Amino acid sequence: MPLPRRLAVLCLAALAALGATGAGQPTAQQDAGTEAATLHASLRNYISARWGAPDSETRYRVAFIDLNDDGRREAVVLMDGNFWCGSGGCSLWVLTPRGRSWRMVTQATIINPPIRVLPSRSHGWSELSAMVDDVNGPDYEARLSVNGRLNPTVTRLTRPSNARVILTYDDPVRALFP
C-alpha cells in the first residue's frame, strides 16, 4: 500500500479508536465546569427573582454529590454574606439538577460547617449533618433531612458523627454577584 493511503488508513483507524473510547464526549472536568456554571446562573436567578436586587456580598461554597442515587449530583450550597448569615450560622441549600438549571429541594438556616453526608437515609435521600451554634450551650451536630424544610435545632444528633465531610470553611468561596 502506498504511504499516503497507509497514512490515511492509520488516521481513520486512530479516529475510530478515539470515538470508541469517548473522545469528543465531554470529560468529567468539562461536565463539572458546566455543572458549576449552570448552578451559578440558577442561584443568581433564584435570588434575584425572590429577593430582588442582588447583594454584592453574597457568596457561597458548594459540594456536588449524588444524594438520591439517581446518577446525577445534587448541589449542597452553603450561602455566605450578611443577608444569608447571622450570629447562629448561615443558610444551607440543597438543589437538584433540572434540565439546564437547578431546583431547590430543601433549605435550613443557622448552619455551620463541617457539612457531612450521613450513612442514614430519609425518603430515598442521604441525610446530612452540620454544626449548630446553641446560644444556651455548646455547639452541636444536627441531622438534616433533605426531603423538606426543617429547623436543625430540633434534630440534634445524640453523639457526633464521623461521616464523610463534604464542605468546610476551607472550601473555596465563590462570589455570586459582581
Side-chain angles (χ1 to χ4, degrees):
M1 187 181 307
L3 185 58
R5 186 169 175 198
R6 187 177 301 161
L7 187 57
V9 169
L10 287 172
C11 287
L12 287 173
L15 288 172
L18 286 174
T21 60
Q25 300 296 320
T27 64
Q29 188 174 16
Q30 289 169 327
D31 286 346
T34 301
E35 185 178 61
T38 60
L39 174 68
H40 188 86
S42 292
L43 289 172
R44 286 178 64 134
N45 291 338
Y46 178 75
I47 290 169
S48 296
R50 186 155 182 164
W51 287 282
D55 176 358
S56 64
E57 297 297 315
T58 296
R59 299 172 304 278
Y60 66 99
R61 292 174 174 86
V62 63
F64 293 100
I65 183 170
D66 186 357
L67 295 172
N68 61 357
D69 293 331
D70 66 354
R72 298 177 306 159
R73 299 188 315 167
E74 278 68 41
V76 179
V77 177
L78 183 64
M79 298 302 294
D80 192 319
N82 293 334
F83 189 77
W84 311 105
C85 301
S87 59
C90 299
S91 295
L92 181 78
W93 298 348
V94 175
L95 298 97
T96 193
R98 180 181 63 193
R100 299 187 68 67
S101 66
W102 294 78
R103 176 182 61 83
M104 184 71 67
V105 175
T106 195
Q107 302 175 35
T109 58
I110 64 169
I111 299 300
N112 293 291
I115 310 301
R116 299 175 188 267
V117 177
L118 298 173
S120 56
R121 299 180 69 78
S122 175
H123 301 279
W125 290 77
S126 294
E127 293 183 313
L128 304 174
S129 75
M131 295 305 295
V132 175
D133 182 11
D134 187 350
V135 295
N136 297 319
D139 295 356
Y140 62 90
E141 189 174 7
R143 177 182 316 276
L144 306 171
S145 294
V146 180
N147 62 326
R149 294 179 188 263
L150 85 141
N151 182 343
T153 59
V154 297
T155 56
R156 181 185 296 234
L157 290 178
T158 55
R159 61 180 168 214
S161 76
N162 60 356
R164 181 168 64 111
V165 174
I166 60 169
L167 274 176
T168 70
Y169 281 123
D170 294 332
D171 288 315
V173 179
R174 302 166 192 207
L176 194 53
F177 297 100

